[in-house]
Amino acid sequence: MPAVSPPTDQTGPARWFIFDGHKLLVQGEREITDIPVLQRGPQDLGLQAVRSHYLGSLNGDACYVAEVPEGTDPPDGMRFHGLRTLFDSLDDALYRLAIVAVEVADWDRLHQFCGRCGERTAYKEGVRAKECRRCGLVSFPRMSPAVIVAVERDDKLLLARANRFPTRFYSVLAGFVEPGETLEEAVEREIREEVGIEVADIRYFGSQPWPFPDSLMIGFTARYAGGEIRIDDTEIVDAGWFGAGELPSLPGKISIARRLIDSFVEKHKSSVE
């Protein structure tokens, strides 16, 4: 249950999502990790919070996010870990709340001052927002919409390798929505810009918050409608059509990109059996 104002009658311990930058403090073995449950907050662990926020409750437990100074040493038996690496070891509900927590912490860190006049901001009562003390500009946590699309051509799937990928894996194409665009127009433009083809029958698939740093990934499927692949040589270094039984190295299961690919494989699994 999301909330902004902490309960006035809280007496018991709470879950604390404690971040050093984008790394979350967790406890437990590497295969199974958990979020610290603390009575007074980070000070119970000898840590100093730069800032903190109430997030709401999960299964009756109050939940908070706190940011500690960069380079803080973790307490004994705990460690700071990036969210990507915690996907398979942290409970699903806690992982989703960790996504909320890191985005709230990022928003607070980046909005200490007004973007219009430079005055220091203050928290706006009763809502997740910061307000300029001088000009009144209100800043809410930012979400950056991005489209991601699985394009099919008969029994083949369009996959590409971007130059930003740390390893040589391939994925479906994605890009941020530009001002004035509909989501469908963003799909058409991104595909045209990155690989030079046209698409049709754009259909909604699903969505995923992506806190790296503040995206909302909106997934679609589409059908090839014409053209030949011509990579842009700026963002894309290779692209091609792949059957369900001949897929290259793929992104991890944390992402909606993998859900789109797995859905394609499930649809065409008879061709690889």
Side-chain angles (χ1 to χ4, degrees), residues 51-209:
R51 56 187 65 92
S52 62
H53 290 270
Y54 179 63
L55 299 173
S57 62
L58 177 65
N59 298 325
D61 295 330
C63 298
Y64 293 81
V65 58
E67 182 181 359
V68 296
E70 184 177 353
T72 294
D73 292 327
D76 291 343
M78 299 184 179
R79 63 193 188 277
F80 286 103
H81 249 300
L83 289 183
R84 293 175 190 262
T85 63
L86 292 173
F87 177 70
D88 291 324
S89 60
L90 196 62
D91 174 80
D92 285 348
L94 292 177
Y95 190 85
R96 288 181 60 86
L97 193 48
I99 289 175
V100 176
V102 72
E103 292 189 347
V104 169
D106 261 353
W107 158 76
D108 193 0
R109 185 189 316 114
L110 297 175
H111 288 84
Q112 294 295 301
F113 297 91
C114 176
R116 182 161 62 191
C117 73
E119 179 69 19
R120 182 171 286 277
T121 58
Y123 298 118
K124 190 172 176 63
E125 186 175 357
V127 65
R128 187 85 68 199
K130 303 190 78 172
E131 187 173 23
C132 177
R133 296 170 175 175
R134 177 187 295 161
C135 71
L137 178 67
V138 177
S139 300
F140 295 90
R142 187 182 73 176
M143 295 297 294
S144 303
V147 294
I148 184 165
V149 56
V151 181
E152 292 189 35
R153 183 178 186 179
D154 299 324
D155 60 349
K156 304 284 187 180
L157 179 67
L158 176 65
L159 295 174
R161 183 164 65 87
N163 59 15
R164 68 181 184 279
F165 290 167
T167 57
R168 296 176 63 85
F169 70 80
Y170 284 68
S171 185
V172 291
L173 294 178
F176 287 103
V177 181
E178 294 188 353
E181 280 187 325
T182 66
L183 298 176
E184 293 81 3
E185 289 169 343
V187 167
E188 294 172 338
R189 175 186 53 76
E190 281 291 338
I191 299 298
R192 186 183 303 117
E193 287 179 353
E194 295 189 353
V195 292
I197 68 171
E198 302 297 325
V199 296
D201 296 338
I202 299 170
R203 298 180 181 274
Y204 176 74
F205 175 84
S207 62
Q208 178 186 31

